[in-house]
Amino acid sequence: MKKSGAQIVWECLVKEGITTIFGYPGGANLPIYDAMRDYPQIHHVLPRHEQGGGHMADGYARVSGKVGVAMGTSGPGATNLVTAIATAHMDSIPMVFITAQVTSKLIGYDAFQETDVTGITLPITKHNYLVTDVEDIMPTLREAFYIAKSGRPGPVLVDITKDAQQAFVSDWEYDDTQIVLKGYRPDFTPAASSIQQAADLINSAKRPVILAGHGVLMGNAMSEFKEFAEKNNVPVAMTLLGMGGFPAHHPLNLGMMGMHGESWVNTAIQEADLLLAFGMRFDDRVTGSLNSYARNAKKIHIEIDPSEVNKNVRVDVGLIGNIKEILAQVTPLVEKNERAEWRKVIADLKGETAVRDIVNLPDSGHLYAAHVINELRRLVSRDTIITTDVGQHQMWTAQYFKIEEAHTMVTSGGLGTMGFGLPSAIGAKLAKPDREVWTVVGDGGFQMTAAELSTIAQEKIKVNVAIINNGFLGMVRQWQEFFYDKNYASTPMISPDFVKLAEAHGLKGLRASTRAEAQVAIQEAREYPGSVVIDFRVEQEDSVYPMVPAGAALNEMIRRPSVIVETPQDE
């Protein structure tokens, strides 16, 4: 069949099983958009900014388990995708970004809207391509999808020149033969001796702790992980992105580790004699000072990417490969163990935790972010999908919104991208239209991508938006309070009337300033048939506790000071 390069792009997307894409048209990719109407089986979503479209595709990928696809034109269209590409790269999200390039004969001449997008994105993609020949479009896109979803997932960019989109292939047929790439080995199998060595360390450990990361979810190893943990009764500490890989209310789940993790979790890690790192990369926000990190612990690292093993923390056993398959081999070699003594030690470490006091205190008329998120968790179902922006509200969500099921929390971990929450929620809703979807955002990050409220209106979907509005760039303000003598330089901010902003987009807007109002607003938003934006006016100078200062040991935490209970005065 005679096919243009633009048609071949759509043919390949159909063959890859893609049903939803997020893209923005422009001069250089008009041939692709001209061919789009011939492929009604693919739903195209028009964001209001390419970055938003990239985050939508990211949220779609995280929730659906499929490869996310985002498109943009040349020049600014491609560069606007860069933040979304870097976000996906840091969190190992399988995505294919298709950008357009100026006509091949103009490359290198500073043509209108010409940008070297492959050069720009080389450090933040798993791989990228520049396609100048129509014959190369199909094999390149097939490779791109294979690379994106195999091994350690990640984003791949394919930049296609306009003339390649317009050219034709006379006798085009789709090639569905197996892809084999020279020099690319995504599958690893650890030696049996390493498996046995790991089992021996586990069986001899007295104070082990599992560090459960994003790899548990990406490897779809939740059931194998649960079987392993329960058989050996090993307490589980979660990374931010690992949440959902192990039920929050499981007796072995200690909670989140790291900079804003639970104090007893960080202390347990420091006192452990064995750390089992499952699909996590020992990020600095997890370890604190490496010089003092779990000095007395042996370490086992299960990781699909060999470059991550021994990169930040030296380990005793590295098991490189698919975590689902590795756990299936390790678990039969592990002995049953109650670990009653070690679990009692950790239970004693919990004690009275000030970070939870805010939720339990009598209502003094003040609304804290913790109240909002606690009420949200109480009122919604356990399979509700929640996305977040980045900042204090992200950490409060991690602490208070107990994640019980896999792939129900979507957040930017590695890059920490403000503006991620709203568009990723749109992608999540389109991936799972029958699920309830909320996004918890700050007043700062929300305004970076608030234009995507129009995308919600155009797509006629229901996504509820909870704005934790404290009038500051909250996390930056917290650092200024703790480490810069309260020099609040450029962190106080004014915002539009979010209720009117919602209404301007054809959505419903609500506002809450007390705990009682918050409860009513959440319930009203759930019952309303369309999308609702809620402006939660919370305490302005509240901080996230505990906090491990940058460069400090993991157990050197700043804890919440005593909370003063204010009794409302009678009028």
Side-chain angles (χ1 to χ4, degrees):
M1 292 184 294
K2 186 177 181 180
K3 295 285 183 183
S4 70
Q7 290 173 312
I8 291 171
V9 170
W10 293 105
E11 292 282 347
C12 290
L13 292 175
V14 170
K15 291 292 186 181
E16 291 291 340
I18 301 303
T19 57
T20 305
I21 69 167
F22 307 83
Y24 210 97
N29 67 358
L30 272 180
I32 292 175
Y33 276 86
D34 187 55
M36 182 176 73
R37 289 188 177 180
D38 295 333
Y39 299 88
Q41 62 268 55
I42 296 180
H43 176 53
H44 179 274
V45 179
L46 176 69
R48 296 308 181 261
H49 190 282
E50 289 91 348
Q51 179 184 343
H55 294 326
M56 291 175 200
D58 186 322
Y60 183 92
R62 295 189 199 220
V63 169
S64 69
K66 301 177 182 178
V67 177
V69 179
M71 296 201 302
T73 191
S74 65
T79 59
N80 283 346
L81 285 169
V82 167
T83 298
I85 296 169
T87 301
H89 178 67
M90 289 291 283
D91 289 351
S92 302
I93 307 303
M95 297 183 66
V96 171
F97 291 86
I98 301 173
T99 56
Q101 187 52 270
V102 300
T103 301
S104 54
K105 67 180 181 181
L106 295 179
I107 292 177
Y109 290 91
D110 294 330
F112 176 67
Q113 290 194 334
E114 178 195 355
T115 302
D116 179 11
V117 68
T118 53
I120 290 170
T121 61
L122 186 64
I124 55 170
T125 51
K126 192 174 176 184
H127 194 56
N128 66 22
Y129 300 86
L130 172 62
V131 180
T132 60
D133 189 328
V134 65
E135 297 277 0
D136 294 330
I137 292 177
M138 178 186 64
T140 300
L141 284 172
R142 289 191 68 227
E143 287 184 13
F145 277 92
Y146 172 67
I147 292 171
K149 62 189 176 184
S150 60
R152 179 181 183 175
V156 178
L157 180 135
V158 180
D159 196 34
I160 309 174
T161 60
K162 188 171 184 178
D163 53 319
Q165 299 170 42
Q166 294 171 319
F168 284 86
V169 177
S170 297
D171 299 311
W172 183 83
E173 289 185 14
Y174 187 77
D175 178 10
D176 58 1
T177 58
Q178 183 177 356
I179 295 175
V180 179
L181 299 178
K182 181 184 268 188
Y184 178 59
R185 184 187 170 195
D187 299 317
F188 295 86
T189 302
S193 58
S194 297
I195 296 287
Q196 186 61 57
Q197 186 182 0
D200 291 342
L201 284 176
I202 295 165
N203 290 333
S204 62
K206 303 296 184 186
R207 301 185 308 279
V209 174
I210 295 172
L211 313 179
H214 199 201
V216 174
L217 291 160
M218 299 303 289
N220 195 30
M222 287 75 72
S223 60
E224 290 81 4
F225 175 38
K226 187 168 179 283
E227 181 185 356
F228 171 87
E230 289 178 341
K231 181 177 181 181
N232 203 244
N233 275 294
V234 183
V236 177
M238 313 296 296
T239 70
L240 175 65
L241 292 181
M243 290 186 172
F246 198 68
H249 282 97
H250 193 287
L252 291 173
N253 193 330
L254 303 180
M256 187 172 69
M257 68 182 96
M259 178 172 281
H260 293 293
E262 310 290 6
S263 59
W264 64 84
V265 179
N266 290 341
T267 303
I269 291 170
Q270 292 295 76
E271 295 184 5
D273 64 358
L274 177 66
L275 296 183
L276 298 98
F278 289 178
M280 54 86 73
R281 57 191 179 86
F282 290 108
D283 174 74
D284 60 289
R285 291 295 173 100
V286 162
T287 64
S289 171
L290 289 174
N291 292 330
S292 58
Y293 181 68
R295 284 182 172 178
N296 299 318
K298 300 279 188 180
K299 299 172 183 73
I300 298 170
H301 195 176
I302 300 178
E303 173 59 50
I304 200 166
D305 183 355
S307 70
E308 290 292 349
V309 178
N310 293 318
K311 184 176 81 173
N312 295 326
V313 173
R314 299 292 301 178
V315 301
D316 298 274
V317 180
L319 302 177
I320 301 168
N322 183 295
I323 186 171
K324 189 180 185 77
E325 297 172 0
I326 291 173
L327 285 176
Q329 296 177 61
V330 172
T331 302
L333 303 177
V334 169
E335 301 167 356
K336 290 186 177 181
N337 194 326
E338 291 301 319
R339 302 204 182 279
E341 184 178 341
W342 175 226
R343 292 173 65 186
K344 183 180 184 305
V345 169
I346 295 175
D348 291 342
L349 285 173
K350 289 185 180 182
E352 289 298 321
T353 312
V355 74
R356 294 289 174 267
D357 285 350
I358 275 186
V359 168
N360 298 323
L361 283 175
D363 189 351
S364 63
H366 294 260
L367 180 63
Y368 288 87
H371 298 152
V372 174
I373 295 162
N374 186 66
E375 283 300 313
L376 186 59
R377 172 71 283 179
R378 189 179 67 83
L379 292 171
V380 302
S381 60
R382 61 180 285 149
D383 67 348
T384 295
I385 296 170
I386 189 160
T387 79
T388 81
D389 222 284
V390 170
Q392 288 180 312
H393 65 276
Q394 179 189 34
M395 295 297 103
W396 280 316
T397 302
Q399 291 177 341
Y400 291 93
F401 196 92
K402 303 300 184 181
I403 308 299
E404 301 290 349
E405 297 191 8
H407 308 297
T408 57
M409 181 173 179
V410 176
T411 192
S412 169
L415 195 65
T417 305
M418 291 178 67
F420 179 79
L422 177 62
S424 65
I426 295 171
K429 183 64 177 181
L430 289 166
K432 299 288 184 181
D434 296 332
R435 294 280 195 90
E436 184 174 354
V437 175
W438 284 77
T439 184
V440 178
V441 296
D443 46 331
F446 172 67
Q447 291 183 73
M448 290 188 172
T449 51
E452 303 306 343
L453 290 176
S454 287
T455 306
I456 290 176
Q458 184 163 335
E459 288 295 315
K460 297 181 174 61
I461 57 176
K462 179 171 175 57
V463 172
N464 290 324
V465 182
I467 305 173
I468 306 301
N469 184 358
N470 59 13
F472 279 99
L473 297 176
M475 188 60 84
V476 185
R477 182 214 61 77
Q478 177 169 332
W479 280 61
Q480 289 172 330
E481 176 187 349
F482 288 1
F483 311 117
Y484 293 90
D485 198 27
K486 293 191 176 183
N487 179 20
Y488 295 160
S490 295
T491 47
M493 66 186 304
I494 63 169
S495 298
D497 184 323
F498 290 129
V499 172
K500 291 181 179 179
L501 183 66
E503 293 170 349
H505 286 86
L507 311 178
K508 187 177 183 64
L510 299 171
R511 181 172 291 116
S513 302
T514 67
R515 294 174 75 169
E517 290 174 353
Q519 186 179 108
V520 171
I522 292 169
Q523 198 59 48
E524 185 175 347
R526 296 191 70 214
E527 295 169 358
Y528 186 73
S531 294
V532 179
V533 176
I534 310 177
D535 178 13
F536 291 103
R537 297 293 183 87
V538 300
E539 285 294 299
Q540 287 195 295
E541 293 185 70
D542 191 18
S543 294
V544 182
Y545 296 98
M547 178 180 182
V548 179
L554 196 60
N555 57 329
E556 295 175 347
M557 291 159 280
I558 300 173
R559 292 177 170 81
R560 178 180 292 278
S562 299
V563 180
I564 299 174
V565 182
E566 297 183 18
T567 304
Q569 298 295 316
D570 293 333
E571 294 183 0

